[in-house]
Amino acid sequence: MSAQGENEALRRYHSRRRPARTPEPMGAPPRPGGGRSRFVIQKHAASSLHYDFRLETDEVLVSWAVPKGPSTDPGEKRLAMRTEDHPVEYLDFEGVIPSGEYGAGQVIVWDTGGYRNLTHRADEEIPMSAGLSQGHLTVWLEGEKLTGGYALTRTGRSGEKERWILVKMRDDRADPRRDPVATEPASVRTGRTVEQLADEG
């Protein structure tokens, strides 16, 4: 992807942020041969607490806001609202977005790691970009808190935003007894909670 292409992909992200007033990364030019398969889930104490689920693909982070956070129970369907693509540098972002700025509030890296694309049709792998446009993605996460298969399926729209559902797949990593959102609130990078981050701020 060219630098021009990356800027186009991140245009909505940039239009909502003022670099001089927020510590959020603005994105760097793409590196030749760059692009990996990483994910991050950020706990975001904005006007309403939610979890931002982001998958690295085509040198950006495609993103969803998950109000209740991800589940390890295949019986739980979690609403996931598609948001603007974020720069890859956002994988490591942890900090406080100042009051008055878009998304103001505390952000921690709740979980992160690598992922594999499991999206298939007729035994052929569907590229992430195609699955995203077609409204269905299946990925295998290798995080510190979450592992195993997760499916994202588009179900409709709410105004300008796409409405998706995030579901844990039925595999050996599923565990209906676990509730990591409730029992593991801290950052996997720093050990801080959003409350501690707010106190520090």
Side-chain angles (χ1 to χ4, degrees), residues 12-82:
R12 190 176 176 200
Y13 174 90
H14 290 142
S15 72
R16 294 180 165 186
R17 289 162 176 85
R18 295 180 286 185
R21 300 193 183 189
T22 178
E24 297 168 279
M26 291 298 116
R31 302 179 306 277
R36 296 161 61 187
S37 296
R38 296 172 291 179
F39 82 93
V40 66
I41 300 171
Q42 283 153 319
K43 188 174 182 178
H44 188 176
S47 56
S48 60
L49 181 68
H50 63 277
Y51 293 75
D52 292 309
F53 184 89
R54 312 189 197 281
L55 298 171
E56 180 179 12
T57 183
D58 292 333
E59 297 177 359
V60 297
L61 299 175
V62 293
S63 303
W64 295 261
V66 184
K68 293 185 177 181
S71 175
T72 57
D73 181 357
E76 292 281 345
K77 294 181 179 179
R78 296 292 168 90
L79 175 67
M81 299 298 293
R82 180 83 190 277

